Amino acid sequence: MSYMPGAVYRAGGGRLWMVKAVEKVRQEVLKLFTPEQWKTAREYWREGLVWATYYGDGIWQGKVAGSLDHYRVRVRRLGKGWQTECSCWERRARCRHAAALLWGWLAEPEKFTPVEELTESIARLSRTDAVELLYRAALEEAELVKKLLAGADEGKRRRVSLPGLLYLVKSLQLDTGSPWLSRRLWEERWGNLLAAVEDGLQEEPGKAWPALLLLAEKMLDFCLSLAAGETAAGDVAALVALLGRRPEQQIPARISEKLLDYYLNSPLSGEEEEKFYPFFHRLCAVKGGKFLLELLRPKVEGEGNFLAGVRGIRLAAKLLSGTENFQELARWCLADCRRLLPLLDYLEEQGKYREAKNLLQKALPLFAAPSGRYLYRLRLAALHRMLGENRRALYLGVLNFAERPGREEYFTLKRLATLTGDWQTIKPRLWQSMAAKAPALLEEVAIMGERILPEPT
């Protein structure tokens, strides 16, 4: 089902003119929001979260229930433009609450009360009754009545003071009750406060910075408490971007450490990982590469930290490449095969085959076991091939074939030996290995070698 409003409307109660009014502005309204916003708006309307709806003189009004409050929404058509106002804290020109109100207008305009019905009732009031009505309105909406009496518009929402903002951040905590509802409410509060802090940073960065640091710490504590597999990558990425806007500010080590914890242990896509690199790059620029290594060591070392180790080593290799701290990273990785292999992978992906080969050759003691020797020769042979050192790669391949003869390995070695002119020399050794450990493979190769890969002349 499409999430755009349909084209058929029910006209009832003498409000057919409202349906016609919808058609006049339909195409303009549809351009105000994205398909995703319309999808959310549809759910708000369908679930009964929009009520007290009015329309008249190019103004739409209503109330929309949010997870924190009931928001007052007003949409105006100003000439060829549109203005949306909402009491929520999304700080967007077009919020989902305004979309929900207009969805209802496009889908079921008959549920909107024409403002003319109210104005006609007001016109029939005596002066005494009108004054009484205005008096009661002042009791409910004093600020609005004051502005109307002064001939001014209602104006923008009052911004929270920085001391008040810091208080809101300090009092931010996860509600008790339903875990799902608690998380939803907490995340919305976090988003609202982050937007308010962002505004404060533009006006008084020195005073707003403590609020941002406190909010960052609370948010990261919350994210690190999520169950395995859960993530809030979008929210944390927004936080990281905000922290990185003020390079002159020193970020406390505890926040850097929690950000690194989140980065290492959360399920992130490659695109999400990329959003964290500018922050860590700045961290290394301000505090040095050794600071990153000191944070990284306790989080990567240990039997149960393999996946975090892979991501951490790759991050350090990317940030420290070309610096003197890269050698310290390499020495650290040479002490443990689980750290060395991700570093080798990174170097190979960057085309730094000689650096990878030199590092692997220094790591020979890590591969003392038989299975380790096989893996060592396999990786070293691949690096030799990438560097055009085919004879060295061939020698290592023959040693591995003697331990684990295989069909694919046989033909790989044959192609390589043919290229170097050594096929006739190594062929007997390969056949001896197959005769000893894989006689069925020897029989298969004997036939296929004549039919598919004839002997070089």
Side-chain angles (χ1 to χ4, degrees), residues 25-330:
V25 298
R26 163 184 292 281
Q27 294 306 317
E28 293 181 41
V29 171
L30 292 179
K31 296 177 182 178
L32 296 178
F33 302 94
T34 66
E36 187 64 29
Q37 286 175 310
W38 281 124
K39 177 181 178 180
T40 302
R42 172 183 177 270
E43 296 303 317
Y44 269 62
W45 181 261
R46 188 177 69 174
E47 298 299 330
L49 299 177
V50 185
W51 75 98
T53 53
Y54 297 87
Y55 165 73
D57 196 22
I59 301 178
W60 292 258
Q61 303 175 56
K63 290 186 177 181
V64 180
S67 60
L68 299 180
D69 202 351
H70 295 159
Y71 304 121
R72 294 174 54 198
V73 184
R74 180 166 54 224
V75 180
R76 300 173 184 264
R77 192 184 185 199
L78 302 174
K80 295 183 178 180
W82 293 79
Q83 180 186 60
T84 63
E85 299 174 8
C86 182
S87 61
C88 74
W89 280 84
E90 284 196 26
R91 280 177 168 75
R92 296 181 184 177
R94 304 277 189 265
C95 73
R96 62 182 182 271
H97 308 113
L101 177 66
L102 288 178
W103 168 277
W105 165 255
L106 292 174
E108 298 182 88
E110 69 276 10
K111 292 187 177 180
F112 280 65
T113 300
V115 173
E116 284 79 358
E117 292 183 7
L118 300 179
T119 58
E120 289 173 1
S121 298
I122 292 173
R124 292 193 293 268
L125 293 174
S126 66
R127 179 178 176 81
T128 301
D129 290 339
V131 171
E132 175 64 22
L133 179 64
L134 188 59
Y135 174 78
R136 292 202 303 271
L139 295 177
E140 295 291 335
E141 296 286 348
E143 182 68 12
L144 174 60
V145 173
K146 178 182 177 181
K147 290 179 180 293
L148 293 176
L149 289 173
D153 291 332
E154 187 177 355
K156 296 182 179 179
R157 184 184 179 112
R158 180 176 178 270
R159 182 169 292 170
V160 177
S161 66
L162 287 175
L165 180 60
L166 186 58
Y167 170 79
L168 290 175
V169 173
K170 288 180 178 178
S171 63
L172 179 65
Q173 60 183 352
L174 198 61
D175 295 334
T176 56
S178 166
W180 176 86
L181 182 59
S182 294
R183 177 175 176 180
R184 181 181 175 188
L185 293 174
W186 203 97
E187 288 179 340
E188 185 162 342
R189 289 191 179 100
W190 135 260
N192 291 341
L193 290 172
L194 185 64
V197 168
E198 185 174 7
D199 286 347
L201 285 173
Q202 295 176 359
E203 294 189 358
E204 297 183 76
K207 293 182 179 180
W209 185 255
L212 176 60
L213 294 181
L214 180 57
L215 183 60
E217 192 164 6
K218 284 177 172 282
M219 182 62 194
L220 290 169
D221 286 339
F222 165 70
C223 291
L224 290 170
S225 71
L226 296 176
E230 291 189 79
T231 180
D235 292 333
V236 178
L239 172 65
V240 170
L242 200 54
L243 287 170
R245 288 184 186 179
R246 304 194 56 78
E248 71 274 13
Q249 297 287 353
Q250 292 292 316
I251 299 175
R254 66 181 184 278
I255 293 181
S256 300
E257 184 176 0
K258 289 178 180 180
L259 269 174
L260 184 60
D261 265 337
Y262 180 84
Y263 173 81
L264 295 178
N265 297 292
S266 299
L268 303 175
S269 66
E271 183 178 353
E272 289 169 340
E273 282 190 45
E274 289 289 338
K275 295 179 180 179
F276 288 81
Y277 288 144
F279 171 82
F280 290 119
H281 183 271
R282 173 184 167 275
L283 184 69
C284 290
V286 173
K287 299 189 175 183
K290 288 186 177 180
F291 178 77
L292 176 66
L293 290 176
E294 289 172 1
L295 285 180
L296 194 61
R297 279 193 175 98
K299 301 181 186 307
V300 170
E301 293 175 341
E303 293 288 338
N305 295 331
F306 176 72
L307 294 179
V310 171
R311 185 174 284 173
I313 295 302
R314 292 178 66 87
L315 173 67
K318 182 173 183 176
L319 294 176
L320 303 180
S321 181
T323 70
E324 60 182 14
N325 296 118
F326 186 84
Q327 297 304 318
E328 183 174 349
L329 171 66

Side-chain angles (χ1 to χ4, degrees), residues 413-433:
L413 289 173
K414 180 174 182 178
R415 286 191 291 270
L416 186 60
T418 301
L419 183 65
T420 61
D422 298 306
W423 173 237
Q424 295 300 329
T425 302
I426 71 165
K427 180 179 178 180
R429 294 184 60 183
L430 302 185
W431 282 52
Q432 289 173 3
S433 299

Side-chain angles (χ1 to χ4, degrees), residues 10 22 41 58 250 289 294 333 386 404 414 434:
R10 299 186 302 276
V22 168
Q250 292 292 316
E294 289 172 1
C333 291
M386 297 306 299
R404 303 180 188 179
K414 180 174 182 178
M434 289 187 287

